Every structure is written in structure tokens, then in C-alpha cells.
Amino acid sequence: MCGIVGYVGSRAATPLLLGGLKRLEYRGYDSAGVAAWQPETLAIRKCVGRLSALEQSLEQQPVAGTLGVGHTRWATHGEPSEVNSHPHTDCSGRIAVVHNGIIENYQELRAELERQGHKFCSQTDTEVIPHLIEAELKVGAASPEEAIRRALRRAKGAYALGVLFHDQPRTLYAARCGSPLIVGVGQGEQFIASDVPAIVDQVRRVIYLNDGEVVALRPEGVSISKLDGTAVEAKIQPVTIAAESVEKAGFETFMLKEIHEQPRILRHLLAQHGWQNGSVAMPDFGLGAPYFRKLNRMMVVACGSAYHTGMYGKLLLENFTSLAVETDLASEFRYRDPKIDPGTLVVAVSQSGETADTLASIRMAKSWGCKVLSICNVPGSTVARESDAVFFTEAGPEIGVAATKSFTAQQMAFALLALFIGRARNEVNEAQAQELLSDLQRVPDAIVYVLERREAVRKVADKHHDGPSSLYLGRRFNYPTALEGALKNKEISYQHAEGYAAGEMKHGPIALINEYLPVICLCTQTRDEVYAKMISNMKEVEARHGRIIALATDGDAAMPGLAEDIIWVPAVRDEFSPLVNVVALQLLAYYAAQARGTDIDKPRNLAKSVTVE
Ligand code: M6R
């Protein structure tokens, strides 16, 4: 969603703003803009489309100044257009605001401000903010900061804001409530940004702002207050990610780099949580082993790909523990009455840690007295901070919009968690746990093998990419894998794709099958009772002349006579096969997208981090 960068210091602001915005491109956007302080005015430049257009406009009409804010907009209220792009200003043009989030009561505020004579030019919700601040200054707010606080006490909804005042040439103001924003602390200069990767090349110290905080940044330091004016002590923390982690490292795209990082990340997680004292080495998350023994139910909530890992996690937890486990989409869960009590552990899964629906679910669960354990990739994110306990997936920044390395890291987290809880409850004995862990250790090498055979996957993608649609079928552990494979395909190649439980085929999707439809059949659980059922489903597709692409285990003699194309993967334990299979499907989607010429790292309409509902 929208990205924000701001700077105050002694260097020229706009190159720093552009640099930061480029690092936020992955969040998704359709227009961009900057504002910078100049002696006579606040200079504003805006452009629809990619940042290169804004860069060109700044080359043609450069803007000097050492104080500024920049923004990438992902349209919610009002089409992508120059007038709707941020920064937005008050009537005088002397207050400029960039915003990420949604001001829910903007219509009411706008009507009131218009009655007072304020002139609006955009269709956005954001534009009420500079006008509200202007109005508060007119009626006697003692300082710009006080005017911001008063304005925000009236705004309902979510926001991360950067604010410039023309009569404050050395101060950048910012505030957050519900949308991410951090402060980057430098030497004689300060930054604001939507996330750490945006400024990782500039600062090594950050402050994670809390909801309801307003900050004034000056070259010499920052001061933070709450909306009621109470001062807050700044908690400065070190940046833990390296600047190189947000570079492509020689790969043509971030997505391809991130696909290739998976074996290393999984090995790291396994090393962190290896065997120790008869169990999986894992802190008890401050919840204590007795908590896990008494637990009676788990509820997993997440969105998108993270929901697919949640579905897989449920199967593993059910397999290795006696717990009743349910998984739900956070956007549905938050409007349900799921009848859960404090005896339920809610597990929230989120790469970014900023997904609005997942956060709302966490808050609901906490209000019911439940403990929340999150599986999250971003330290300092709101999900991580609001959860009682966090399993960090430590996959590093994921820049490609399509989840890849965060997905397999979440799967691994669930596998380790299931073994840990199974041991804590004595439902998995020591010998079983050791065997399962050693089977899990085989997964990274199996993924390396899939990556080494990527050219074979490319050939399959080249042959099948141009149809209008494709169908992904799987069963049991690989039903969520089928959903994820289809999601990967549609989000980066724009080819319509359906993921289905193979057993559901006869209940509808079989009607789609004809001699043109590629049907990707996940048939690797060779020791599982569902293997034979999957073969039957494939025969049903074959009988209707569907084009079968099988994902099969090396050496499976049943496949060559059945499938038109086969993507071979090494054998791993059935329960853990989704971690290997999904990598093959990531590559399949990747090469299909490449053949279809899409913008793989920044697919149209998508945002990496969905911070509004
Ligand atoms: O940051 P989160 O894991 O909470 O994000 C959830 C989804 O928005 C995300 O997984 C999305 O579905 C990805 N684009 C999938 O590739």
C-alpha cells in the first residue's frame, strides 16, 4: 500500500526521498509525489505511474531543500491521478501532508470544513488532514504539533502521516495510528519511513512509533508525544537487517532471488530450533510448557498466502497433537462470533506484520482473553508488537510482492511448532520427534534439487503459459499447496488459475476440463492413502482430454503414462512435501509470468502489505 519517506537534515532532500521511495516500490503504488521546503514556498511535484516519471519531472524542474516528504500512492479513494496523488495541502499551500491509511470519517469532516470555506481539489480522504490542521491553527492551536494532535483527535480510521509546514523550515512532523511508520535516527539528520528497508542504507538506528504518537523531527533530535500532549520517551533500537538484503544480488528479479534463498533460510530455522534436551529447541514463548499442556483449541488467522500456510499448519498440528485446530481468513474471522475462550491459542500468521485484517483479528482475540502467538517475518512490526509471543521466521526482507521465502519459512515454523507442542503435551514421543526432525532436515536439500532443475520447469511453463486458465489439484497436505500454486500463478502471470481439493473436482470444476486446460496435479504423497485417490482424479482428467502436468516424486512409474508433462521432485516425508512442491510451483508461475511479459516483482494492482481493510 502507500509508502512514506521523509527527511530533515543538511543534505538535499529529494534524492534521499526518491531513493527511499524506490525501496518502497514493492509495496505497490500507482502514483507518486514529493514536497520539499524552499524559502518562498513548499515545492510539490506529483506524477501518475512509476517513480521514473517523478524522477524525470524532478530532473526537469529540480527542487532544492533539506526538508521534505515523499509518497507512493495505492489508490483507495479516488482514481490514480495527479490531483489525487500526495502530498496534499491546505488552502494556503503552506501545509503539506502525505498519508498511508484511510480516514473513515472524511466525508463528515470535509463537509464541515467546506462549510467553513475550505476549498478541496481531490477526491481523497487524505485532503481533510491539512485542512483540519489549518483550521486548528486558525482557532489558536499553540504550535504546529498541537494543531496536528487536535486534528488527529477528530480523525477516525488509520493513518501514518508526514507533515511539512512552510513556517517550520527545520522540522518534519509525523504521526501514526494503525498504519506503519518508523523514525530513522541519524547524525544531524532524521528520517521517517513506512518500513526499515526504505532507509536501511541511510541509518542504523530506528524508533518504532506506537499508535497515537506524534513526532517532531529536527536535525538534532526527535521528540514524541501522545495525542493528549503527554511526552513519550523515544526507544531507539538498532537496525537488524543489512543493506545488501534489499538488493537483487545479481538475480534478474527480487522474486527469483527470494526463491533461491529458501534452502538457506530453512536451514537457518532448523539450526535455530534443532534438537535439544529431548525436544525441539524453542523458547516456550513466555507462555510456559504448562500452558501448552492445558490448551484445548487453536485458531489460526491470516490472509492470502499466509492463510494457505495456516491451512497447512492446521493439518500438521492436528497430525502431531490432539488439539482441535481451525484456520480462518482474518477478513472473515473478524466478523464472526467464533465462540472462543481464553483456553484457545490464536495464531496469527503474517509476513509483513502490518496486514489490517490480521491485526484486527489479533485485537479481537485479545479482547476475549486469548493469548496470541504470531508467526511473523518483520521485527518491530505491529503484529509482532501486539502479540503475546512471536515466532520470527527470519527470512529477511521480502521485496517481491509474491510471497515465496516467507511462505516456506512459515511452513517450517508450523512444522517446528507442531513438533514442539506435540512434545510439550507428550503426544509425540522422543523417538518420533527425532525421526520427524531428521526428515525435516532433508527438505532444504530437496529444494536445492528443485532449483537446480529449474530449466525443466521453465520448459513446462513455456509450453502452457498462453492459455486463459489453469487448474491446480491437490489433496490433504498438498491441498493448501494447490491453492498457493494457483495464487502465485494468477498474481504474477495474470493467468486465471483455480486451486481445488482434488476430491471436489466432481462437484463442479470437472466441467471446466477440455483438451486445452492445463491441470496441475500434485501427486507426491506416495505413502499416503490419498495417493491412489489422486491417481483416480488424474485419470478422470485424462478421460476428458485435460492436459495433465504432474508434480511427482522422482521415479514414480505411474506418472509417465498418465501425464503430458511431469515436474519431478525428490522424495521427502509426505507431511513435509508441501515445502518442496511449492518451490516448483513458484518457479512454474515465475516462468509463466516471464513468458507473458508481466512486471514480476510489482504485479499490477497488488500491494505487498495490505494495511487497509
Ligand atoms: O504480510 P502478510 O503475510 O500478512 O500478507 C498477507 C497477504 O497479503 C499476502 O500473503 C499476499 O497474499 C501475497 N501477495 C501472496 O503472494
Side-chain angles (χ1 to χ4, degrees), residues 255 301-309 348-359 375-378 383 398 400-404 406-407 410 484 487-488 491-492 603 606-611:
M255 182 173 172
V301 289
C303 301
S305 292
Y307 170 69
H308 297 153
T309 20
V349 192
S350 176
Q351 186 286 129
S352 65
E354 302 295 348
T355 302
D357 286 318
T358 310
L359 266 169
I375 295 178
C376 184
N377 197 38
V378 180
V383 163
E398 189 174 67
V401 162
T404 51
S406 66
F407 185 84
Q410 287 163 0
E484 177 62 8
L487 177 65
K488 284 289 86 85
E491 69 184 336
I492 63 167
L606 286 176
K608 180 70 180 164
S609 163
V610 182
T611 52

Side-chain angles (χ1 to χ4, degrees), residues 204-215:
R204 297 310 299 162
R205 292 183 308 153
V206 290
I207 299 166
Y208 295 100
L209 293 176
N210 293 308
D211 281 352
E213 289 181 349
V214 175
V215 54

Side-chain angles (χ1 to χ4, degrees), residues 43 106 118 125 150 202 376 400 409 440 493 508 559 574:
Y106 81 101
H118 289 261
D125 54 322
R150 283 199 202 177
Q202 301 297 332
C376 184
L440 211 43
S493 84
M559 292 297 132
D574 284 345

Side-chain angles (χ1 to χ4, degrees), residues 491-512:
E491 69 184 336
I492 63 167
S493 84
Y494 313 153
Q495 182 192 52
H496 171 253
E498 287 275 350
Y500 246 90
E504 275 289 295
M505 234 222 330
K506 290 196 225 27
H507 302 285
I510 200 162
L512 294 171

